Amino acid sequence: MADNIKTLQAKICITGNLKILTGLHIGGGGNTSAIGAVDSPVIRDPLSKCPIIPGSSLKGKMRTLLAKLYDDKNTGILGKPDNDNYIVKRLFGSSDPIQPARLQFFDIFLQEESKKSIEKLDTDLYLTEVKFENTITRTTSQANPRQIERVPAGAKFQFKLIYNLEKMDEYKEDMQALYKAIILLKDDYIGGHGSRGYGRVELSNINVTVPVQRDDVNIDKEQIAVILKGGK
């Protein structure tokens, strides 16, 4: 394990807006619900009761999208995460061999301004809406109605990533891969029911800061921001 731990050159902080384009459902894990209650509630912050996007949801989706893009074997079927492309493994981590992830994800919270805007709307629940859906069994034509809680379209969240810069000759390649993940996410979704139109999101207003770095390291944060916005 010690051979896989690199010297830390700098920590790069990447922040921006995550806007919900279509209703988002990331389940809260409830197994039962009272009569008349929503069948599938969203996950919420236990203190503020606001809906949140777990960092694990964003990390898992970005890793899967990049793993598909960088599929070395071209089999069309993803294997274990430890068999991902080396760029994916150094960004998101590996257990065999042990390789700490360079990217650190944070839970994503609703922006205060967006919270106030949604509070003014006539939504079904606190800061969320209820989507009524109905599935029909083909063989019997039996209906199966259900209620799914969603974060409404237009809600804005503030996301934050930390990138551990370990090798100066690799960080630009890593940033280019992260940019590809951002673009892939735009044409995909997070959360559940994405094939039915849920969970479309957009990342924007990306900002880069370098809160700490070694004295002998010079980081061009403006160049990193350009890469993450599609430049070279």
Side-chain angles (χ1 to χ4, degrees), residues 22-24 38 42 44 123-131 148-153:
T22 62
L24 171 71
V38 174
V42 300
R44 294 176 180 266
T123 56
D124 305 286
L125 300 171
Y126 181 57
L127 303 175
T128 60
E129 64 185 7
V130 175
K131 177 74 162 52
I148 299 177
E149 185 180 13
R150 311 194 308 179
V151 181

Side-chain angles (χ1 to χ4, degrees), residues 26-213:
I26 298 179
N31 295 321
T32 59
S33 58
I35 296 176
V38 174
D39 300 311
S40 300
V42 300
I43 188 169
R44 294 176 180 266
D45 174 42
L47 294 179
S48 67
K49 305 304 179 184
C50 294
I52 65 171
I53 301 174
S56 58
S57 295
L58 185 60
K59 178 182 179 181
K61 174 58 72 170
M62 281 188 164
R63 176 167 192 156
T64 298
L65 291 172
L66 276 185
K68 290 180 178 179
L69 184 66
Y70 290 141
D71 178 21
D72 298 327
K73 299 178 178 61
N74 292 318
T75 62
I77 301 175
L78 290 182
K80 297 180 180 179
D82 290 335
N83 295 329
D84 286 345
N85 177 277
Y86 69 97
I87 296 178
V88 178
K89 288 196 292 186
R90 75 189 188 203
L91 283 175
F92 297 93
S94 170
S95 61
D96 185 19
I98 295 177
Q99 182 171 326
R102 291 182 179 179
L103 282 177
Q104 298 176 7
F105 288 77
F106 292 72
D107 286 345
I108 305 171
F109 295 94
L110 189 66
Q111 293 181 4
E112 186 63 28
E113 181 179 352
S114 187
K115 174 185 172 183
K116 292 179 180 178
S117 297
I118 299 174
E119 284 178 333
K120 297 177 182 179
L121 302 176
D122 184 19
T123 56
D124 305 286
L125 300 171
Y126 181 57
L127 303 175
T128 60
E129 64 185 7
V130 175
K131 177 74 162 52
F132 287 85
E133 294 197 351
N134 197 7
T135 58
I136 306 296
T137 303
R138 286 184 178 182
T139 55
T140 65
S141 298
Q142 181 178 357
N144 180 30
R146 56 183 175 176
Q147 304 175 54
I148 299 177
E149 185 180 13
R150 311 194 308 179
V151 181
K156 292 182 180 181
F157 292 73
Q158 183 77 23
F159 76 86
K160 177 180 178 181
L161 305 176
I162 293 292
Y163 171 76
N164 288 334
L165 196 159
E166 298 173 346
K167 297 186 68 174
M168 293 297 295
D169 60 346
E170 291 179 348
Y171 84 88
K172 290 182 182 178
E173 185 178 43
D174 286 348
M175 291 299 102
Q176 289 168 350
L178 181 56
Y179 165 71
K180 291 178 181 178
I182 292 172
I183 295 302
L184 288 168
L185 182 63
K186 183 178 179 181
D187 291 324
D188 211 274
Y189 62 90
I190 59 176
H193 315 295
S195 64
R196 296 201 296 273
Y198 287 42
R200 309 294 173 175
V201 300
E202 180 181 60
L203 304 184
S204 63
N205 297 328
I206 294 176
N207 183 54
V208 176
T209 59
V210 184
V212 63
Q213 64 186 44

